[in-house]
Amino acid sequence: MSLVVSANDLAVDEIVQRANLASFYAGDDGRAEARMLIEDAKGNKQMRQFVILRNDLSEGGEQQFLVVFSRPSDVKDTVFLVHKKVAADDDRWLYLPALDLEKRIAASDNRTSFVGSDFFYEDVSGRNPAADQHQLVGQDETHYHLASVPKDPTLVEFARYTMKIDRQTFLPMLIEYHDAHDRIYRRVEVLAVDAVQGHPTVMQSKVSNLQTGGHTLLQFRGPRYDLGMEESVFTTRSLRNPPRTWLKAQ
């Protein structure tokens, strides 16, 4: 598969659809090791290390995600499970080993901090494109420029967001969230992209909280696709008993 996709004069809905597929649906399934580096405005730093597994039930449709933490010791064996839906709210669970507690993540918590980082729960598996109204506000030789507003503003903390989408890979390279006063308060940037098995793959991204001055750097290592993972990997049984075979480097 070619890394470059040619496109001219696409409708905004097709741009958004391709961006969603490029960001979250490469291959039929996927595995990657990841490390989060969290830094607050005072320079205090934390680290999170985990493996993320993904299985697609349909192209552009329902998916399953499993995130298993290995470092540091205070989050080791914490597990995050997502059953991503299209026509309904996603099902999300968090297992906290220190409390031996399985916790359901309510839809109202989707845009809250993911394990103390500047990423949100919703960032891990993606936001439903149908939740927002999108407008193509411009384009240049390298990017499409979109502006989006939530269809139900009571469910989110932002008033609108803008995206710069790469015209070749369709990966969103920059997303900026605006508050009710139209001030940018949150920024998501892609810092590095590589071709993995023909798929343009984000290798490094950064989320900045412009209100607090903190940021989180997310780095991926060894991403692989089309591994043939079974659906049984992504059941609630894996919260307490993660699939050790798939957590090892392939």
Side-chain angles (χ1 to χ4, degrees), residues 224-240:
R224 299 294 296 170
Y225 302 113
D226 298 317
L227 298 169
M229 278 182 276
E230 309 87 356
E231 285 190 46
S232 59
V233 169
F234 301 91
T235 66
T236 55
R237 184 181 305 170
S238 291
L239 290 168
R240 283 186 165 84

Side-chain angles (χ1 to χ4, degrees), residues 128-240:
N128 188 341
D132 308 311
Q133 293 179 323
H134 309 281
Q135 181 182 6
L136 179 63
V137 296
Q139 55 186 297
D140 53 38
E141 292 184 358
T142 56
H143 294 93
Y144 294 106
H145 299 263
L146 275 64
S148 305
V149 296
K151 292 180 180 178
D152 188 347
T154 65
L155 298 179
V156 293
E157 83 292 350
F158 60 85
R160 71 183 184 100
Y161 62 94
T162 59
M163 287 190 290
K164 288 177 62 176
I165 297 175
D166 189 286
R167 289 175 63 99
Q168 294 185 327
T169 66
F170 283 92
L171 289 172
M173 303 301 291
L174 175 67
I175 307 174
E176 293 183 322
Y177 292 87
H178 298 241
D179 64 18
H181 301 286
D182 209 32
R183 294 176 298 211
I184 300 171
Y185 69 92
R186 187 171 190 258
R187 179 177 292 128
V188 181
E189 305 169 85
V190 170
L191 304 180
V193 175
D194 201 358
V196 178
Q197 296 169 243
H199 301 287
T201 300
V202 174
M203 301 300 292
Q204 189 174 120
S205 63
K206 179 182 179 182
V207 174
S208 301
N209 186 328
L210 304 184
Q211 294 176 320
T212 66
H215 68 267
T216 299
L217 187 69
L218 176 59
Q219 302 169 323
F220 291 102
R221 184 177 67 178
R224 299 294 296 170
Y225 302 113
D226 298 317
L227 298 169
M229 278 182 276
E230 309 87 356
E231 285 190 46
S232 59
V233 169
F234 301 91
T235 66
T236 55
R237 184 181 305 170
S238 291
L239 290 168
R240 283 186 165 84

